[in-house]
Amino acid sequence: MIVSVRFLLEIFTVGGLIFGSFRADKLSGKIIYLSLAVFIVAVWMLFGAPKSTYHLAGINKILLESGIFLIGGVAYSWIFNKEIGYVYFTVVVIDTVLLHFLKL
């Protein structure tokens, strides 16, 4: 279940950024959110996915996850509201701690 929550967090991160590109009023906001979504997908494909080309482990993986989910959390706070961003961050932190504590 913890791994499933992580997968959903990854989907929600990218999906939220794509949704933000539709919700943004200015063209620059649309471009920024869409570019961030493409960037996160590309970086995750290369370094974060279990079968990625250059799979990271240890502290490097934690830093990668932290950066990606930080982008997602800040974007959720800007796109929706701070409370949704806080809930997102809370779920990310709990899931990350459990994943690394249980070595999943």
Side-chain angles (χ1 to χ4, degrees):
M1 179 160 155
I2 297 168
V3 177
S4 299
V5 171
R6 173 51 58 107
F7 178 71
L8 289 174
L9 285 170
E10 294 166 6
I11 297 297
F12 283 136
T13 300
V14 174
L17 288 169
I18 292 171
F19 180 75
S21 70
F22 290 110
R23 191 167 175 182
D25 294 332
K26 297 181 181 180
L27 180 62
S28 61
K30 294 177 185 298
I31 292 171
I32 288 170
Y33 287 130
L34 198 55
S35 298
L36 281 172
V38 170
F39 173 76
I40 286 174
V41 168
V43 168
W44 196 256
M45 281 184 350
L46 284 174
F47 303 108
K51 294 185 179 182
S52 59
T53 307
Y54 308 102
H55 187 69
L56 297 177
I59 189 72
N60 292 329
K61 174 98 183 227
I62 293 172
L63 291 174
L64 174 68
E65 291 171 351
S66 299
I68 286 175
F69 290 124
L70 178 69
I71 290 170
V74 170
Y76 265 82
S77 295
W78 288 343
I79 295 167
F80 302 106
N81 59 39
K82 290 181 182 176
E83 287 78 20
I84 292 176
Y86 294 149
V87 169
Y88 175 87
F89 275 130
T90 303
V91 173
V92 166
V93 169
I94 291 169
D95 187 65
T96 302
V97 167
L98 288 173
L99 272 175
H100 292 286
F101 180 73
L102 299 173
K103 298 179 183 174
L104 297 175

